[in-house]
Amino acid sequence: MSGKRALIRGTAILTITSFVSLFDSAENLFTVKHRKTAYNKVGIFIFHIMNKFFYRIFLGHTFGEENVGLYQLVFPVYALGISFSCAGTELALSRCVAQENAAGHPEKAKELLKTGLIFTFVLSCILTIFLQHNAHMTAISFLHDSRCEELLILLSYTFPFASIHSCICGYSLGLKQTKIPAVSQLFEQTFRILFVFLFCYYRTSHQLDLSISFAVVGLAMGEIFASCYCLYSIHHTASKQVQNLLSASTFCIHLSRLFRHAFPLTASRVLLNILQSIEAVSIPVFLQYSGMSSSLSLQVYGVLTGMALPCILFPSAITNAVSSMLLPTVAEIQEMKEKRRLQAIISKIACSCIFLGCFCCIFLLISGKWIGIFLFKSPLAGSFILTLSWICPFLYTNTVLLGMINGLGKTTFSFIINFLSLCIRIAGVCLFIPIWGINGYLTGLLISQIFLFLCCILRLVIYIKNFS
């Protein structure tokens, strides 16, 4: 199969399964040889709708807007922990495995996987212990709400399992084998949602109190099942060499290589997530400066991040799938020095994402208020969706453009423009919210996405011009 067909098929399959899990997909799940009936595809699409809309609606109706805001408040810590423990290693694995596979060294790719698994698992266990011992301080000093302490302790259990899940997904994507990432994410989403549904049903049927902590436990349960599936699949499908122990010297050599690639990615991810965390926890604080009460500010934050933004991010199933497949593909093209092929991929995919964003923008402008009122029973959510719809063309395209830039190895540039974009958003929080309320933040968000889009386009144009 040609590289172009592999990219298109992998992206298409990623997109279908992303409509379930918003991550990756299965290379052989819907091939001619292994194709199931159309019922499978319909079921996947329906499950995604339940996940992105009905599950969010369920959380809002069951726990209330304020508790949804509390739930969303711990996600910056979750993102920061994932960035520190495994996100950089996952991208490094994807890139290094793609290079070794293209060079005809599959055994080295397997050794890289084992090295990454050992390193990230140990690191994530240390992070879990650290967060559990400092949950109270983090809740009070960083999140400014003591109710987050219990949520943080429960959240800490996700990191070791997420590290396993992440590394195996990075390895599979480096090989352009998307079955394991897809099905594992399907497992993660399925068991997360089922756990929360069943636990809430049990508590309400026995007239017991409900706590938003059940939703956080659901995150941990999802990662546990996903990591178990990943380990089973890699053990079941790989050759016996994968099961051999690494020598200390081999481990150190591969760890050094992964570290060289992962360190700048991890450092940039951690710093960016620190800024994102500052942005997220500052929104309720500065909303209070604009005159809102503590409870109302948390409700507004919950509606924005737990209801409106998921609607805006709905089509990111497609762009996330494209971005995931582009990183190893662009790395291979760069290695082969095929300028025309690289130029064609960049132009076609960028134009497609812009078209998708414009279509979604028009759709949300027309139906945004109805979505907020009918689905979420929140006029405020409808108002946010209308305002946020203008960022769609830039938001969806930026995801793919950044994937291309990272695939070309320009991670420093990616970090710089992401850093500047976040600074614009934080400025919107600190300067605009006290004056214009939440609309000030939404304005800053739009400006930051436009800035990111222009920088990415300019950098890719310059790279193509100088590519040889």
Side-chain angles (χ1 to χ4, degrees):
M1 177 178 292
S2 68
K4 182 178 179 180
R5 287 181 61 195
L7 174 63
I8 293 173
R9 189 179 74 168
T11 299
I13 297 172
L14 277 170
T15 301
I16 293 171
T17 311
S18 288
F19 277 127
V20 185
S21 57
L22 285 179
F23 188 55
D24 300 305
S25 71
E27 169 139 3
N28 296 320
L29 197 57
F30 297 117
T31 59
V32 174
K33 182 178 180 181
H34 300 283
R35 185 178 298 146
K36 306 300 180 183
T37 62
Y39 174 79
N40 291 343
K41 298 182 182 180
V42 174
I44 285 177
F45 182 72
I46 291 173
F47 188 88
H48 170 71
I49 294 176
M50 181 185 72
N51 177 34
K52 292 306 294 175
F53 285 98
F54 295 151
Y55 182 59
R56 293 288 183 174
I57 294 168
F58 169 77
L59 290 180
H61 290 179
T62 304
F63 300 106
E65 293 176 350
E66 184 176 356
N67 280 319
V68 171
L70 201 65
Y71 173 67
Q72 293 294 137
L73 202 57
V74 301
F75 267 87
V77 178
Y78 176 67
L80 186 59
I82 294 294
S83 298
F84 176 77
S85 60
C86 59
T89 306
E90 178 185 356
L91 292 175
L93 264 175
S94 181
R95 182 174 174 82
C96 292
V97 166
Q99 291 174 337
E100 293 295 346
N101 192 54
H105 302 141
E107 296 309 315
K108 286 188 177 180
K110 297 167 188 174
E111 291 173 353
L112 284 165
L113 169 62
K114 288 184 282 186
T115 303
L117 280 171
I118 295 170
F119 174 70
T120 56
F121 184 77
V122 172
L123 192 62
S124 61
C125 288
I126 294 172
L127 178 62
T128 296
I129 296 171
F130 175 82
L131 183 57
Q132 289 182 353
H133 282 81
N134 295 276
H136 179 74
M137 182 188 69
T138 304
I140 297 296
S141 303
F142 184 56
L143 302 181
H144 305 288
D145 198 315
S146 59
R147 292 174 293 177
C148 293
E149 180 180 356
E150 179 186 0
L151 304 185
L152 291 174
I153 293 174
L154 295 172
L155 185 69
S156 67
Y157 291 104
T158 63
F159 297 129
F161 302 100
S163 68
I164 298 172
H165 184 190
S166 179
C167 283
I168 296 177
C169 285
Y171 170 78
S172 299
L173 287 174
L175 297 177
K176 294 185 181 178
Q177 296 174 355
T178 48
K179 177 181 179 179
I180 292 176
V183 180
S184 68
Q185 200 66 17
L186 177 61
F187 267 64
E188 190 272 327
Q189 294 287 334
T190 302
F191 284 100
R192 173 164 64 92
I193 293 172
L194 279 177
F195 174 83
V196 177
F197 277 154
L198 294 176
F199 219 87
C200 289
Y201 174 77
Y202 173 82
R203 301 282 293 186
T204 52
S205 63
H206 289 77
Q207 297 182 341
L208 300 172
D209 293 335
L210 290 175
S211 171
I212 195 63
S213 61
F214 299 147
V216 180
V217 175
L219 287 173
M221 295 299 296
E223 288 292 351
I224 290 171
F225 280 100
S227 62
C228 289
Y229 168 78
C230 286
L231 288 172
Y232 170 78
S233 297
I234 207 71
H235 177 84
H236 181 70
T237 60
S239 63
K240 291 184 179 180
Q241 285 97 339
V242 176
Q243 302 169 31
N244 295 336
L245 293 176
L246 281 174
S247 66
S249 59
T250 304
F251 174 81
C252 291
I253 291 171
H254 289 315
L255 181 59
S256 176
R257 180 182 178 186
L258 285 176
F259 189 77
R260 285 198 306 270
H261 288 279
F263 179 76
L265 290 169
T266 301
S268 61
R269 283 286 187 99
V270 168
L271 182 54
L272 291 176
N273 272 288
I274 289 173
L275 291 176
Q276 288 173 340
S277 301
I278 292 172
E279 173 197 19
V281 300
S282 296
I283 292 174
V285 174
F286 279 90
L287 283 174
Q288 294 177 45
Y289 292 161
S290 68
M292 291 186 183
S293 65
S294 175
S295 177
L296 182 59
S297 66
L298 203 57
Q299 289 179 30
V300 171
Y301 178 74
V303 171
L304 174 63
T305 58
M307 300 178 187
L309 278 175
C311 290
I312 299 298
L313 294 174
F314 183 91
S316 64
I318 300 173
T319 56
N320 285 346
V322 174
S323 181
S324 296
M325 290 301 300
L326 273 176
L327 195 149
T329 300
V330 169
E332 287 182 6
I333 295 174
Q334 185 186 36
E335 191 78 17
M336 298 175 186
K337 301 186 182 299
E338 297 179 355
K339 180 176 180 178
R340 290 186 177 180
R341 185 182 169 199
L342 179 62
Q343 188 174 3
I345 285 179
I346 292 174
S347 59
K348 288 179 182 179
I349 292 180
C351 290
S352 299
C353 290
I354 292 172
F355 175 79
L356 172 67
C358 291
F359 174 80
C360 292
C361 177
I362 295 171
F363 173 78
L364 291 173
L365 284 172
I366 295 172
S367 60
K369 283 205 169 188
W370 177 85
I371 291 173
I373 295 173
F374 181 78
L375 294 180
F376 295 107
K377 300 191 184 304
S378 174
L380 184 60
S383 175
F384 287 161
I385 292 170
L386 284 178
T387 305
L388 287 168
S389 63
W390 295 105
I391 74 170
C392 290
F394 308 104
L395 180 66
Y396 305 151
T397 310
N398 288 343
T399 302
V400 175
L401 295 179
L402 287 170
M404 294 178 188
I405 291 172
N406 286 329
L408 294 170
K410 308 300 179 182
T411 53
T412 301
F413 178 80
S414 176
F415 164 72
I416 291 172
I417 60 175
N418 271 306
F419 174 81
L420 294 175
S421 173
L422 274 167
C423 288
I424 294 172
R425 285 158 55 178
I426 292 174
V429 173
C430 300
L431 301 178
F432 299 155
I433 286 183
I435 302 173
W436 299 321
I438 194 64
N439 287 326
Y441 170 70
L442 301 180
T443 302
L445 186 60
L446 175 61
I447 294 171
S448 71
Q449 289 298 321
I450 295 173
F451 167 80
L452 201 60
F453 174 80
L454 294 175
C455 288
C456 288
I457 290 292
L458 181 61
R459 184 66 185 90
L460 288 171
V461 168
I462 293 173
Y463 183 85
I464 289 294
K465 185 178 180 180
N466 298 327
F467 186 75
S468 59

